């Protein structure tokens, strides 16, 4: 969860696109989805294959630069929760399963 500052208008969008493109190229990336509430809070979900690939993303030097910029000027606040998938159930009208 996060909320952006007014200063995020400068540079945040470009960095966010760069980080997503970079994450997609890393081994273990599964998918990413983001939602924005009426009050401006955003919820972003990024899935990794396992803890090892998540750790590689956390330690990526360019990602660390983006994190520092986020704390310095782009985020009003953020909260990161790392979870482990216990069970997944999928149903899709178009594939029948």
């Amino acid at each position: 969860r996060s909320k952006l500052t007014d200063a995020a208008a400068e540079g945040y969008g470009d960095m966010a696109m760069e980080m997503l493109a970079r994450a997609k190229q890393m081994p273990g990336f599964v998918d990413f989805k983001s939602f924005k509430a009426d009050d401006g809070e955003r919820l972003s979900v990024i899935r990794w294959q396992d803890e090892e690939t998540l750790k590689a993303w956390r330690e990526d030097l360019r990602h660390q630069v983006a994190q520092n910029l986020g704390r310095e000027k782009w985020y009003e606040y953020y909260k990161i929760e790392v979870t482990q998938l216990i069970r997944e159930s999928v149903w899709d009208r178009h594939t029948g399963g």
Side-chain angles (χ1 to χ4, degrees), residues 26-57:
M26 293 191 69
F29 174 86
V30 176
D31 62 15
F32 171 83
K33 193 82 165 186
S34 187
F35 308 89
K36 185 176 177 185
D38 291 339
D39 66 0
E41 185 175 67
R42 300 164 338 119
L43 175 65
S44 298
V45 178
I46 186 165
R47 292 178 35 177
W48 294 93
Q49 178 182 330
D50 52 30
E51 196 170 353
E52 183 179 316
T53 56
L54 170 61
K55 182 180 179 197
W57 174 242

Side-chain angles (χ1 to χ4, degrees), residues 4 6 23 33-34 46 57 60-61 63 69 71-72 78 82 87 95:
L4 298 175
D6 292 338
K33 193 82 165 186
S34 187
I46 186 165
W57 174 242
D60 179 79
L61 294 179
H63 182 220
L69 286 169
R71 285 189 290 272
E72 289 171 10
Y78 67 84
V82 178
R87 179 178 56 239
T95 63

Side-chain angles (χ1 to χ4, degrees), residues 57-70:
W57 174 242
R58 186 180 70 230
E59 295 176 351
D60 179 79
L61 294 179
R62 184 66 177 153
H63 182 220
Q64 289 177 0
V65 168
Q67 289 175 322
N68 289 332
L69 286 169

